[in-house]
Each structure stands twice: as C-alpha cells, then as structure tokens.
Amino acid sequence: MARNFSPHVLSICRLEVVTMIWLVWDQRNRCIFDGAMARSSHTLAQFWTLMREANGCNIGCMKNTFFDLSVLSAFGIISRPSKAPFSICIRWQPPPLRFIKVNVDGGVTGAPGQLTGGGVFRDNYGVFRGCFAMQHGSGFAFVTELATTFSAIEITFDKQWLHLCLETDSVYMVNIFKHLTSLVPWRLLGQWHMVHHLMGDMQIVVWHIFREGNASTDRLTRESVDG
C-alpha cells in the first residue's frame, strides 16, 4: 500500500506515527517520574505543532491527485504539488509582415455527426479582419477540418489577401498542406483541386497550434452548431 503513496504523503504518515509514539511515551514518563497529570488536549496541540514544523523539511512532493490533497488537507499540511516535466507557452502569434492569418477549426457532434467549422482572420498587428462559420452536413471530424480550411482559402483569395498564414490544431490537416497530398475524402476532391489551383497564385504558410491557443475559433465553431 505504501507504494501507492507519494513521497510527501508517505513521509507525513511516518512522521505522524513516530511523533504520536514519542508524545505518548513522553507523557507517560512525565506522569510516572514527575507526577504530572496526563492532558490529552496538550498532547494533541503538541502533535499538530510538530507536524506543521516537520512539513518545513524537505520531504518530497505530492502526487497531483485528489487523494493526496485530501490527506494533506486533513492534517493541515501545506501541499507541495509535483512540477510538470516541462511547460509550453501557448498563445496567439502574429503572422509575418503583410500576411493575413486565419485560425481555423472544425467540430462534430457525434461520430459521424453534424459537421461545423469556422475561422478568424487577423493581420500582423493582431487586428481583427473578419470571421466565418458554416455547417458541412454530416460526417467525421477530419472532413470538417479540411472543408473549413478550403473555405478559408477561398474567402482569402476572394478578398485578394494573397499572403496567408493558415493556423490549425489539426496535425492531419497540416500534413495535407505541407506535403500537398491528394489523400483527401472523395467528397472534397473537387474543392481540393480548385483550392490547389488558387494556391498557385498565393503565398501560404501552414502553422500548427495547440487547441488551447485556438480558443476563439473553437468557440465560434461551437456557436455555429446553435446557428
């Protein structure tokens, strides 16, 4: 069972046992040799004081679980969460100069289910330039990711924004554009060929972003379900 405890909780449990044994032994000796009266309230107060002081020692970190947090909170111990092995700063980055950046995202309710998608356009100063949301019938998630991206390129071309930075949280979609593969669903082949032709007159860069950095587009996509 001890193997399931984190170093922090295991150290605290051992300290509790040793501290309580020592306090009871000390109180017994005082009663026998000094004639003092046993006072449980005094012993418990000493116990809690010693436990809080012991927490200042380097006794490891807790597991980031509800169990560990509950145990430490029950004894009034300040928790020491384990640090993440690494961290990534996720935030919206502006596109290069003269580029328009579109963040696209697709969503599906079910598998297969209703397909929705949307995109948000910003320039290299972060100024909002427009957005769109649409539905793509029914199917699977990768279909709406591609259909939404194709629509974003068509909108961009119509507005003559010929320098486009395309950002998505779909690795599948990034690979489609970086390798210009024709392995797309048959229902989108016609649109893919047309978009591929438009891309010949455009300068397009494709970036991947984690979902946490694509929150505004994700919200727009979810809203389009209700629309």
Side-chain angles (χ1 to χ4, degrees), residues 9-21:
V9 172
L10 185 59
S11 298
I12 291 296
C13 290
R14 287 171 175 170
L15 282 170
E16 290 168 2
V17 174
V18 173
T19 302
M20 183 55 71
I21 292 174

Side-chain angles (χ1 to χ4, degrees), residues 111-127:
Q114 182 182 2
L115 303 179
T116 60
V120 178
F121 297 93
R122 302 182 185 92
D123 61 21
N124 58 285
Y125 296 105
V127 176

Side-chain angles (χ1 to χ4, degrees), residues 12-65:
I12 291 296
C13 290
R14 287 171 175 170
L15 282 170
E16 290 168 2
V17 174
V18 173
T19 302
M20 183 55 71
I21 292 174
W22 179 82
L23 286 173
V24 171
W25 180 261
D26 179 68
Q27 190 68 34
R28 170 189 173 276
N29 290 340
R30 288 177 183 275
C31 292
I32 295 175
F33 300 108
D34 297 336
M37 295 182 59
R39 291 182 297 172
S40 59
S41 59
H42 178 70
T43 302
L44 288 175
Q46 280 187 299
F47 174 78
W48 293 116
T49 300
L50 291 172
M51 289 304 301
R52 285 191 289 269
E53 291 178 354
N55 189 51
C57 303
N58 185 13
I59 52 178
C61 296
M62 62 177 281
K63 293 179 181 178
N64 297 339
T65 63

Side-chain angles (χ1 to χ4, degrees), residues 130-180:
C131 65
F132 70 94
M134 56 182 60
Q135 299 183 3
H136 303 289
S138 61
F140 294 92
F142 67 91
V143 175
T144 188
E145 293 280 1
L146 281 172
T148 302
T149 303
F150 294 163
S151 299
I153 294 175
E154 292 170 351
I155 293 172
T156 307
F157 186 83
D158 290 341
K159 291 183 174 294
Q160 287 299 291
W161 295 334
L162 302 182
H163 298 81
L164 177 65
C165 178
L166 187 64
E167 191 167 64
T168 175
D169 56 18
S170 170
V171 176
Y172 165 75
M173 204 275 295
V174 171
N175 290 331
I176 287 286
F177 278 85
K178 283 195 172 181
H179 302 293
L180 294 179

